[in-house]
């Protein structure tokens, strides 16, 4: 650029040659005046505009204010020449902020470049959107960026930039991106052949999935499949092998994405995932001498350990991980020690047993004195997570000793954690009071109000503790210096419970008054106000020191602080009332217990440890804290999605005084409800489905691109379903996604035998095997969703012919046995009956072969010689379920040729089974198959 614009080159040389700032400013002012004149005169060609705008950009980069050239930059964007367009985009991204009025003039030019066939223009436009991207621009251009991302004609480097641009827009303006609507199309790009595209799309999916878990659930299978291809099958180009580690950045992202979802129940996915994690850990068993190789391998390993902990803390993988982590927390490398401590904290926060972590307690405590503050912080987090009743006194004692020499940046967090651990794992209330008062004495200004509020609350609610607390706080106040928080605790406790120790030697009312009042001169007005409240309570219980207390009130009646003055005047008036007056006694009654509620300390700590853009999948503080967090997160998602059954108002964590008000923190429990996919419709589709409900094989769906066929077999409460998917077109179907939606997973389990393939070659067929288990009675069949790329993105959802009657088995009964059981079951509600019209066959007769085929196809055993009428059909079967056991089922079919009606009666020991079986049989009997 400099070689083609001599004026710009000379301008830069003049600026660099200026020996003092005044000369530089003079040269810039002269140039800006010249540029303004040129722009005002007009008639500039593209080259001249480019040159002058480049000078303005350079001036802006030097730090000078620029108020000219904005319109010319907008005009340059519309230029067909790359060099002019590049300078225009550079000026727009540098000189304009996201709320600039000039941006409205640029939107159409950017859209034109996004729609163009020139990849360089596409990229310039994407850069501008990502760097400036205000809400108006995002709303206007998000669809165009998405189109560029999913277009089959887009180059790989354009797709990468489009994915990252969408990610930037979503983080700034999440409401503009219809994340759920675009889910399947974006996820399909995770199968792209270019791993660079996959990395960028995975970054986008990670951000979108955190807020739309259900919509992006298919990404779970995609992530497992890609990890399998990278780690097990080594399916990647040499370009993406970083020091012999296959694409470590992609592996880390995929492993993190899997942690956003609950562990999969699909045995095929669990098996592949276990194999991947085992391979990653085996590869990292022995460290390499190459530093870069170690770094890449450790990055993947620590994320893999995090996923193994997330999946199952009792698995052998986690035992292997614990051994590796023990080695890492003693490593010479600071980064490895940091990651080792952080991952071990994850283990401590999830594990059922803390014994594997406790083995290394001494090493972790030594890490508190590491030379690196970030390692010290992770050691603190780990000690906080691994603390329990057995080691609480040791850990809290170590933290108190370290608190005196800890970094100021750590002290506030340490105080909160010590206070929480002391309360949570206190072996006795006396130890709790001793420890908290030591904490307040040692930490000083780093003790938040929440800490001493909590002490007051617990002492007030624990009658056996009040006398001991009064003695201990009195002893602490004897020290030459006492922090203001300690004075507050002392003022409250001695004011309420000082009378309990007043008769013991060394704790007389006068001594209590002297020790407390001697500290008041160093306190703020708020603390002195609290002490005045203490004194009026003493007027009521210690009449022997009333003169000294009245003197204090008299003195404070004339201070400038309005709060202190008002209290002093009111308390002085109360103290002067006659002794027989009961008003003083009523005002100074002992505080009642506080209503039980959660500690405000946890709210304060969680607020300090807020989420980043990449939300944490766990928090420090043990298994209980993470279980509670997961429940809270699910309820929040339910409320956000509008599926929560009810909601309650949560207390404000900022209102510290309100933390003692006994607010109800209970929230209604809710479960996540996934939306049912939109089903494909058509007469053939319904006819194929109805036929397959009473037959074991046939076509389920067919169009011009694919054909889906079914073969099935059932035995007892389990079954196997083979799905044959054929590609009818001469091009491959890529990004093939197959998913099964089950309405009630507690009643029916449907899982793939292995991870489905993501490509179907031209004019070939692939088979996918489903394992089916009936746990209890169900009424809604599962839905198979198939999506793929074939020029454009196609999605089809169809019902699978897995119905309740598939799990029936034959029962042989004689005439007497049948009618005995029929009567034993009785009528409603365990009977379901319907009368419906039927069609006669071409000969005008009842279609008995069809009726027999339907009943036998629904796996009822047709019983002969039961009914005297030969046209009536009788059947019996037993439904097998893994949870509810066996359920008997009997049926009678009575067709009437003259009336062209049929009566169907089903009786079962379960009313749900009777109703469902009757409806299934009626649909099949009426269907035109």
């Amino acid at each position: 650029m400099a070689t083609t614009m001599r004026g710009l080159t000379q301008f830069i040389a003049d600026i660099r040659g200026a020996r003092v700032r005044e000369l530089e400013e003079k040269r810039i002012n002269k140039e800006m005046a010249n540029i303004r004149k040129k722009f005002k005169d007009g008639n500039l060609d593209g080259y001249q505009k480019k040159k002058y705008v480049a000078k303005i950009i350079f001036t802006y980069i030097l730090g000078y204010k620029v108020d000219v050239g904005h319109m010319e930059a907008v005009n340059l964007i519309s230029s067909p020449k790359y060099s002019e367009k590049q300078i225009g985009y550079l000026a727009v991204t540098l000189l304009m902020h996201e709320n600039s009025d000039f941006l409205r003039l640029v939107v159409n030019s950017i859209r034109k470049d996004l729609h163009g066939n020139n990849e360089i223009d596409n990229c310039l436009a994407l850069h501008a959107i990502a760097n400036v991207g205000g809400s108006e621009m995002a709303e206007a251009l998000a669809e165009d960026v998405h189109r560029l991302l999913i277009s089959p004609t887009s180059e790989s480097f354009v797709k990468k930039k489009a994915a990252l641009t969408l990610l930037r827009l979503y983080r700034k303006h999440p409401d503009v991106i219809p994340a759920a609507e675009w889910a399947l199309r974006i996820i399909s790009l995770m199968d792209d052949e270019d791993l660079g595209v996959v990395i960028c799309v995975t970054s986008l999916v990670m951000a979108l999935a955190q807020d739309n878990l259900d919509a992006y659930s298919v990404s779970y299978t995609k992530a497992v499949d890609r990890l399998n291809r990278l780690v097990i099958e080594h399916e990647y180009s040499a370009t993406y092998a970083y020091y012999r580690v296959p694409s470590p950045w992609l592996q880390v992202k995929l492993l993190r994405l899997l942690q956003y979802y609950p562990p999969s129940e699909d045995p095929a996915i669990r098996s592949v995932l276990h194999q991947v994690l085992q391979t990653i850990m085996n590869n990292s068993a022995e460290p390499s001498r190459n530093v870069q190789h170690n770094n890449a391998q450790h990055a993947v390993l620590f994320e893999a350990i995090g996923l193994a902990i997330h999946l199952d803390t009792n698995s052998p993988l986690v035992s292997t991980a614990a051994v590796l982590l023990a080695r890492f927390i003693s490593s010479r490398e600071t980064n490895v020690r940091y990651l080792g401590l952080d991952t071990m904290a994850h283990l401590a926060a999830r594990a059922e047993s803390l014994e594997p972590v406790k083995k290394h307690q001494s090493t972790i405590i030594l890490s508190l004195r590491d030379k690196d503050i970030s390692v010290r912080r992770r050691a603190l987090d780990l000690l906080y997570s691994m603390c329990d009743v057995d080691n609480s006194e040791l850990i809290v004692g170590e933290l108190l000793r370290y608190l005196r020499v800890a970094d100021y940046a750590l002290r506030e967090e340490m105080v909160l954690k010590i206070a929480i651990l002391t309360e949570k794992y206190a072996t006795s209330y006396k130890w709790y009071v001793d420890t908290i008062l030591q904490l307040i004495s040692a930490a000083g200004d780093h003790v938040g109000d929440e800490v001493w509020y909590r002490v007051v609350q617990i002492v007030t609610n624990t009658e056996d503790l009040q006398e001991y607390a009064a003695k201990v706080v009195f002893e602490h106040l004897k020290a030459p210096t006492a922090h203001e928080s300690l004075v507050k605790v002392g003022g409250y406790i001695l004011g309420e419970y000082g009378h309990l120790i007043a008769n013991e030697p060394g704790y007389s009312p006068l001594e209590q008054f002297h020790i407390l009042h001697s500290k008041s001169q160093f306190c703020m007005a708020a603390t002195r106000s609290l002490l005045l409240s203490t004194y009026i309570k003493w007027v009521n219980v210690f009449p022997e020191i009333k003169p000294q207390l009245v003197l204090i009130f008299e003195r404070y009646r004339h201070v400038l602080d309005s709060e202190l003055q008002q209290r002093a005047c009111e308390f002085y008036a109360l103290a002067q009332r006659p002794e027989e007056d009961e008003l003083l006694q009523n005002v100074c009654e002992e505080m009642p217990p506080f209503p039980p509620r959660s500690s405000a300390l946890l709210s304060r700590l969680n607020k300090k440890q807020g989420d980043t853009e990449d939300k944490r999948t766990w928090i420090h503080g043990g298994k209980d804290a993470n279980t509670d967090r997961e429940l809270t997160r699910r309820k929040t998602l339910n409320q956000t999605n509008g599926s929560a059954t009810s909601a309650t108002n949560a207390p404000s964590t900022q209102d510290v005084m309100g933390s003692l008000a006994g607010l109800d923190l209970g929230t209604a429990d809710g479960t996540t409800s996934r939306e049912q996919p939109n089903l494909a419709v058509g007469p053939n589709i319904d006819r194929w489905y109805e036929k397959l409900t009473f037959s074991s094989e046939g076509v389920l769906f067919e169009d011009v691109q694919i054909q889906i066929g079914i073969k099935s077999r059932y035995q007892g409460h389990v079954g196997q379903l083979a799905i044959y998917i054929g590609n009818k077109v001469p091009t491959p179907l890529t990004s093939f996604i197959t998913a099964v939606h089950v309405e009630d997973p507690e009643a029916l389990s449907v899982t793939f035998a292995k991870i489905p393939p993501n490509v179907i070659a031209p004019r070939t067929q692939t088979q996918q095997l489903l394992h089916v288990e009936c746990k209890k009675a169900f009424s809604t069949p599962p839905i198979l969703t198939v999506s793929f790329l074939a020029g454009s993105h196609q999605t089809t959802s169809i019902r699978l012919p897995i119905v309740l009657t598939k799990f029936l088995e034959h029962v042989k009964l004689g005439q007497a046995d049948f009618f005995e059981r029929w009567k034993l079951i009785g009528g409603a509600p365990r009977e379901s009956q319907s009368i419906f019209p039927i069609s006669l066959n071409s000969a005008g007769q009842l279609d008995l072969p069809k009726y027999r085929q339907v009943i036998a196809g629904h796996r009822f055993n047709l019983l002969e010689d039961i009914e005297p009428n030969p046209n009536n059909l009788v059947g019996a079967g037993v439904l097998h379920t893994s949870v509810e056991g066996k359920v008997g089922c009997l049926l009678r079919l009575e067709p009437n040729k003259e009336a062209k009606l049929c009566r169907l009666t089903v009786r079962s020991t379960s009313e749900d089974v009777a109703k469902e079986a009757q409806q299934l049989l009626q649909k099949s009997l009426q269907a035109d198959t």
Side-chain angles (χ1 to χ4, degrees), residues 275-418:
Q275 190 179 359
V276 167
L277 295 175
Q278 185 70 64
T279 305
I280 291 173
M281 290 186 189
N282 292 342
N283 292 343
S284 307
E286 293 300 325
S288 167
R289 292 183 179 180
N290 188 300
V291 177
Q292 285 84 355
H293 176 76
N294 272 345
N295 288 341
Q297 210 161 45
H298 284 150
V300 176
L301 173 63
F302 282 115
E303 208 60 63
I305 293 174
L307 178 58
I309 294 168
H310 174 76
L311 293 176
D312 182 9
T313 54
N314 297 319
S315 72
L317 285 174
V318 176
S319 302
T320 306
V323 175
L324 291 172
L325 291 175
R327 189 179 78 199
F328 291 143
I329 62 174
S330 304
S331 172
R332 292 181 180 180
E333 290 186 42
T334 304
N335 289 338
V336 175
R337 288 200 306 278
Y338 173 93
L339 289 169
L341 290 167
D342 188 55
T343 310
M344 194 171 275
H346 186 188
L347 176 59
R350 295 278 194 182
E352 298 284 348
S353 170
L354 292 170
E355 291 306 317
V357 182
K358 287 183 182 177
K359 292 177 184 177
H360 315 289
Q361 188 167 288
S362 56
T363 307
I364 298 164
I365 290 173
L366 282 175
S367 298
L368 279 175
R369 288 163 174 79
D370 194 276
K371 61 185 178 181
D372 190 292
I373 185 173
S374 60
V375 175
R376 297 197 291 272
R377 192 183 294 276
R378 293 287 79 82
L380 170 62
D381 292 337
L382 176 51
L383 286 171
Y384 174 69
S385 293
M386 65 183 283
C387 188
D388 61 10
V389 177
D390 298 329
N391 61 6
S392 57
E393 292 192 22
L394 174 63
I395 288 179
V396 170
E398 285 292 340
L399 292 177
L400 276 173
R401 279 192 288 276
Y402 176 62
L403 180 62
R404 302 177 189 277
V405 295
D407 306 81
Y408 283 98
L410 282 176
R411 287 193 181 184
E412 186 180 356
E413 187 178 337
M414 282 193 73
V415 167
L416 283 172
K417 288 183 173 176
I418 292 171

Side-chain angles (χ1 to χ4, degrees), residues 36-292:
R36 284 190 187 91
K37 184 176 181 301
K38 293 289 185 183
F39 284 165
K40 188 176 181 181
D41 293 343
N43 297 324
L44 297 176
D45 59 21
Y47 169 79
Q48 290 173 313
K49 284 182 183 178
K50 176 180 70 171
K51 179 177 66 174
Y52 293 135
V53 171
K55 290 180 180 181
I56 292 170
I57 293 172
F58 183 73
T59 304
Y60 177 81
I61 291 172
L62 289 177
Y64 290 92
K65 187 177 180 181
V66 170
D67 56 1
V68 68
H70 295 77
M71 200 63 213
E72 284 68 22
V74 171
N75 293 334
L76 281 175
I77 289 178
S78 304
S79 171
K81 292 185 179 179
Y82 167 72
S83 60
E84 295 173 10
K85 189 184 289 288
Q86 181 193 35
I87 292 294
Y89 272 116
L90 182 59
V92 165
T93 54
L94 284 175
L95 303 180
M96 299 180 192
H97 57 82
E98 63 179 47
N99 296 319
S100 172
D101 291 334
F102 284 100
L103 284 181
R104 295 172 184 169
L105 305 175
V106 184
V107 169
N108 285 333
S109 297
I110 293 178
R111 181 180 284 116
K112 183 180 177 183
D113 286 337
L114 288 175
H115 289 182
N117 295 324
N118 188 320
E119 294 85 359
I120 303 298
D121 292 352
N122 296 159
C123 292
L124 287 173
L126 290 170
H127 274 293
I129 296 169
N131 286 319
V132 182
S135 58
E136 287 187 20
M137 183 179 282
E139 195 170 337
L141 298 174
E143 288 275 358
D144 300 290
V145 176
H146 176 250
R147 184 197 60 78
L148 204 56
L149 171 65
I150 65 175
S151 171
T153 58
S154 294
E155 295 288 341
S156 292
F157 65 89
V158 176
K159 287 183 180 178
K160 289 191 279 187
K161 292 182 187 298
L164 296 179
T165 301
L166 272 183
L167 174 60
R168 182 70 179 271
L169 291 179
Y170 182 74
R171 285 177 172 169
K172 289 179 72 176
H173 311 288
D175 297 337
V176 172
I177 308 296
E181 182 185 329
W182 292 350
L184 284 177
R185 191 62 185 85
I186 291 175
I187 291 170
S188 68
L189 291 171
M190 292 176 71
D191 287 324
D192 199 278
E193 294 179 359
D194 190 316
L195 285 185
V197 174
V198 178
I199 291 173
C200 295
V201 170
T202 303
S203 299
L204 175 61
V205 169
M206 285 175 68
L208 297 172
Q210 290 175 45
D211 302 320
N212 304 273
L213 283 176
D214 287 342
Y216 286 82
S217 58
V218 180
S219 65
Y220 195 97
T221 307
K222 291 290 181 190
V224 174
D225 182 47
R226 178 63 73 172
L227 282 169
N228 180 56
R229 286 153 62 188
L230 282 174
V231 178
I232 307 298
E233 299 175 2
H234 303 290
E235 193 179 306
Y236 58 90
S237 65
T239 313
Y240 288 96
Y242 180 79
Y243 289 91
R244 303 195 312 279
V245 179
S247 192
W249 297 276
L250 178 56
Q251 286 193 58
V252 167
K253 288 178 185 295
L254 293 172
L255 291 166
R256 173 59 61 88
L257 174 62
L258 294 175
Q259 293 178 57
Y260 295 150
Y261 288 91
S264 172
E265 298 298 327
D266 192 319
I269 290 178
R270 291 181 74 92
S271 173
V272 172
L273 207 47
H274 183 278
Q275 190 179 359
V276 167
L277 295 175
Q278 185 70 64
T279 305
I280 291 173
M281 290 186 189
N282 292 342
N283 292 343
S284 307
E286 293 300 325
S288 167
R289 292 183 179 180
N290 188 300
V291 177
Q292 285 84 355

Side-chain angles (χ1 to χ4, degrees), residues 848 852 867-873:
L848 292 178
R852 287 178 170 274
E867 285 270 9
N869 186 341
N871 291 335
N872 293 351
L873 300 178

Side-chain angles (χ1 to χ4, degrees), residues 755-824:
I755 297 177
N758 54 33
V759 176
I760 300 181
R763 304 194 187 284
T764 59
Q765 188 182 71
T766 181
Q767 175 188 324
Q768 296 180 20
L769 195 63
L770 289 179
H771 292 304
V772 186
E773 180 186 5
C774 179
K775 300 176 182 178
K776 54 186 181 181
F778 64 94
S779 58
T780 307
I783 295 172
L784 175 72
T785 300
V786 173
S787 63
F788 53 89
L789 285 177
S792 61
H793 190 257
Q794 310 286 331
T795 302
T796 302
S797 294
I798 47 177
R799 293 172 295 172
L800 285 174
I802 301 174
V803 293
L804 191 63
T805 52
K806 295 286 186 181
F807 301 95
L808 287 172
E809 287 203 345
H810 287 188
V811 175
K812 293 182 179 179
L813 295 174
Q815 186 180 38
D817 290 337
F818 177 84
F819 283 109
E820 181 184 347
R821 297 192 186 192
W822 183 266
K823 291 176 183 177
L824 189 64

